Amino acid sequence: MRSLRETGWRWWWLILLLIVLDQASKQWVLHKIPYQGSIPLLPVFELAHVYNTGAAFSFLSDAGGWQRWFFTAIAVVISIVIAIWLSRVGRAQLKLSLALALVLAGAIGNLIDRLVYGHVIDMLHVFYKSWSYPVFNLADSVIFIGAVLLIWDSFSSTAEVKT
């Protein structure tokens, strides 16, 4: 069995840091911004206080409550799969292990919300005139960055195999 330093688990400190930052930002919003209120920071960006009972882009948010446990189960399964995958990723696979660590941190951050509150707390809102991007949080951001790194790594790995 390989040591943690030889696997993707060497990023455990980043996973914990991102979970703590995500949860701290959500606690700040819960205590400083009234529900459905916001604090404008830029002409195109504000901190808001909203809940998402669904998944990305509020998918299934009005499904009646069963989706809480459905998305919780999915997050648990994905987290276990990624944790096992991280334990098998070699030290040389930097992009892959970092990508998995980011996705795991974000998945756990939102999983904590679902378990504790029954919904995910979102607060980052980007908009322009009448256009508005769905409100998101730090966990969503690191999942997105991790997914981009996973895609980049898959193309890089494919290119390396072909040459």
Side-chain angles (χ1 to χ4, degrees):
M1 183 159 198
R2 295 190 278 180
S3 74
L4 292 180
R5 287 183 170 172
E6 297 171 354
T7 71
W9 272 109
R10 70 183 180 280
W11 294 101
W12 65 268
W13 61 270
L14 180 62
I15 296 166
L16 289 177
L17 175 66
L18 290 171
I19 293 169
V20 167
L21 289 174
D22 174 65
Q23 291 300 304
S25 68
K26 292 170 180 175
Q27 286 301 308
W28 185 88
V29 165
L30 282 172
H31 292 94
K32 299 294 182 185
I33 303 174
Y35 177 64
Q36 294 187 336
S38 64
I39 299 173
L41 297 178
L42 297 170
V44 295
F45 178 73
E46 67 186 3
L47 293 177
H49 182 170
V50 298
Y51 302 144
N52 182 357
T53 56
F57 307 108
S58 296
F59 175 67
L60 292 178
S61 63
D62 57 354
W66 63 266
Q67 73 276 22
R68 172 187 183 184
W69 302 111
F70 176 70
F71 291 128
T72 297
I74 288 173
V76 167
V77 169
I78 288 171
S79 296
I80 291 169
V81 168
I82 291 173
I84 292 168
W85 193 357
L86 264 174
S87 73
R88 296 179 179 170
V89 173
R91 184 174 183 85
Q93 295 175 285
L94 177 65
K95 248 185 292 172
L96 178 59
S97 59
L98 180 57
L100 294 173
L102 292 174
V103 172
L104 181 59
I108 292 172
N110 284 339
L111 174 62
I112 291 168
D113 284 16
R114 288 191 196 286
L115 291 171
V116 173
Y117 306 109
H119 53 259
V120 174
I121 300 164
D122 287 331
M123 80 280 298
L124 304 171
H125 186 211
V126 178
F127 56 91
Y128 182 73
K129 295 184 181 180
S130 63
W131 174 84
S132 177
Y133 191 79
V135 184
F136 58 99
N137 59 42
L138 180 63
D140 299 331
S141 300
V142 297
I143 289 170
F144 175 79
I145 294 166
V148 169
L149 282 174
L150 276 172
I151 293 166
W152 181 21
D153 181 67
S154 71
F155 284 116
S156 302
S157 300
T158 305
E160 291 169 10
V161 171
K162 289 182 180 179
T163 57

